[in-house]
């Protein structure tokens, strides 16, 4: 269950994807190498960061709670497999690297949307990096699921960070305007079915200059704290320890 994140400085674009009602429902930000790609190694498989998506209202719950927003970083490898790293977002006006990152993006995206553009380059600073979106502590949940929207292709490895990051209230308001007021919070909580959820409680903290962060211990949990919950099960973390297969 080892995880090694190596996000480097990057350039990026933005695609605003509309639903059949012509409303923007996905903010997709392709991540471009600058000059090296950002990568993630999970269970000894190397993935390259392809894009990130920002949602108003979280797609996941943790301990029965939704969050104000969620950013999902999608990675692929040479075998066309997908790994999604998901980070919950709350709104407040406390300084953080994540808040600065959202500020750098949202004003540009809103301006381009108002001009009618849906696919455009973002002008970011030379040291802009998705690394600044990572929370300080790195407990995470892991499970195998699907893409969150049609055609809902399967065999996606999901890593859901337990600790949230933040954006300020002004940027959250702009996010709502970009997404035409749409929110994901009303989504259905799906049953667990045959899924196993694993929890990594190895806490590691480090300065933002650290490139390599490794988290090793995982255990299978008997009660599921994220969105794929069994309606008959109370939510929380159990103590059943099983190595991830």
């Amino acid at each position: 269950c080892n995880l090694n994140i190596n996000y480097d400085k990057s350039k990026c674009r933005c695609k605003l994807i509309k639903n059949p009602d012509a409303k923007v429902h996905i903010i997709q930000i392709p991540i471009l190498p600058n000059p090296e790609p950002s990568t993630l190694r999970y269970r000894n498989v190397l993935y390259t960061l392809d894009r990130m998506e920002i949602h108003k209202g979280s797609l996941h719950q943790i301990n029965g709670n939704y969050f104000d927003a969620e950013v999902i970083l999608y990675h692929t490898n040479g075998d066309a497999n997908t790994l999604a790293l998901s980070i919950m977002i709350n709104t407040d006006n406390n300084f953080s690297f994540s808040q600065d990152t959202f500020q750098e993006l949202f004003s540009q995206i809103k301006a381009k949307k108002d001009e009618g553009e849906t696919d455009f380059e973002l002008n970011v600073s030379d040291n802009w990096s998705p690394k600044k979106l990572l929370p300080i502590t790195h407990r995470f949940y892991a499970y195998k699921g699907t893409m969150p929207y049609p055609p809902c292709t399967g065999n996606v490895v999901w890593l859901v960070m337990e600790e949230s990051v933040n954006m300020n209230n002004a940027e959250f308001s702009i996010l709502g305007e970009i997404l035409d007021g749409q929110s994901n919070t009303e989504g259905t909580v799906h049953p667990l079915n045959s899924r196993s959820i694993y929890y990594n409680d190895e806490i590691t903290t480090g300065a933002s200059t650290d490139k390599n962060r490794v988290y090793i211990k995982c255990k299978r949990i008997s009660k599921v704290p994220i969105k794929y919950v069994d309606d008959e099960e109370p939510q929380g973390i159990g103590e059943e320890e099983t190595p991830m297969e």
Side-chain angles (χ1 to χ4, degrees):
C1 200
N2 57 324
L3 172 63
N4 184 308
I5 300 173
N6 186 6
Y7 288 168
D8 213 332
K9 59 184 179 181
S10 307
K11 296 293 184 182
C12 54
R13 297 186 59 81
C14 180
K15 296 181 180 180
L16 300 177
I17 301 173
K18 297 185 178 182
N19 63 17
D21 296 327
K23 293 184 177 181
V24 175
H25 72 121
I26 298 174
I27 301 172
Q28 189 177 96
I29 300 178
I31 306 297
L32 311 175
N34 185 34
E36 299 299 323
S38 291
T39 60
L40 178 155
R41 186 178 294 274
Y42 179 64
R43 300 182 68 230
N44 296 319
V45 177
L46 182 66
Y47 297 84
T48 298
L49 179 58
D50 177 67
R51 68 191 186 279
M52 69 181 191
E53 295 179 0
I54 305 168
H55 300 268
K56 183 175 182 289
S58 62
L59 302 181
H60 291 87
Q61 290 179 347
I62 297 180
N63 291 325
N65 297 314
Y66 282 110
F67 293 78
D68 294 327
E70 181 172 345
V71 59
I72 304 173
L73 297 109
Y74 289 99
H75 308 71
T76 58
N77 67 8
D79 296 323
N81 296 316
T82 300
L83 182 147
L85 177 67
S86 186
I87 303 169
M88 305 299 114
I89 303 168
N90 279 318
T91 53
D92 60 51
N93 291 319
N94 296 327
F95 171 79
S96 68
F97 288 119
S98 62
Q99 184 181 115
D100 275 1
T101 301
F102 294 128
Q103 285 181 322
E104 193 166 1
L105 298 178
F106 286 179
S107 58
Q108 294 185 65
I109 296 172
K110 176 65 167 57
K112 291 290 188 181
K113 182 196 174 192
D114 290 346
E115 294 170 1
E117 296 193 41
T118 57
D119 188 347
F120 46 87
E121 185 175 353
L122 290 168
N123 182 22
V124 295
S125 59
D126 291 340
N127 64 347
W128 187 90
S129 171
K131 176 173 60 178
K132 295 181 180 180
L133 295 172
L134 296 173
I136 295 174
T137 59
H138 289 71
R139 295 185 181 98
F140 66 89
Y141 304 100
Y143 70 95
K144 291 183 180 179
T146 65
M147 292 295 289
Y149 40 76
C152 299
T153 51
N155 296 319
V156 177
V157 175
W158 282 89
L159 306 181
V160 181
M161 290 293 184
E162 183 178 47
E163 183 184 1
S164 63
V165 298
N166 74 313
M167 71 171 63
N168 68 33
N169 294 308
E171 300 307 317
F172 186 68
S173 178
I174 294 173
L175 174 63
E177 294 177 22
I178 295 169
L179 290 170
D180 295 318
Q182 298 184 101
S183 174
N184 298 294
T185 308
E186 301 303 321
T188 302
V189 177
H190 297 287
L192 176 62
N193 295 325
S194 60
R195 289 184 177 89
S196 292
I197 307 292
Y198 295 86
Y199 177 64
N200 183 314
D201 62 356
E202 183 79 0
I203 305 174
T204 301
T205 61
S208 60
T209 54
D210 292 347
K211 280 192 174 182
N212 299 315
R213 296 167 177 168
V214 180
Y215 314 96
I216 299 173
K217 297 179 182 178
C218 269
K219 60 183 178 182
R220 186 163 59 193
I221 55 180
S222 58
K223 298 172 185 177
V224 183
I226 63 173
K227 185 171 181 177
Y228 284 100
V229 297
D230 187 328
D231 291 339
E232 298 180 357
E233 286 285 346
Q235 295 177 13
I237 297 173
E239 296 298 331
E240 177 189 357
E241 296 193 13
T242 307
M244 188 170 184
E245 299 174 352

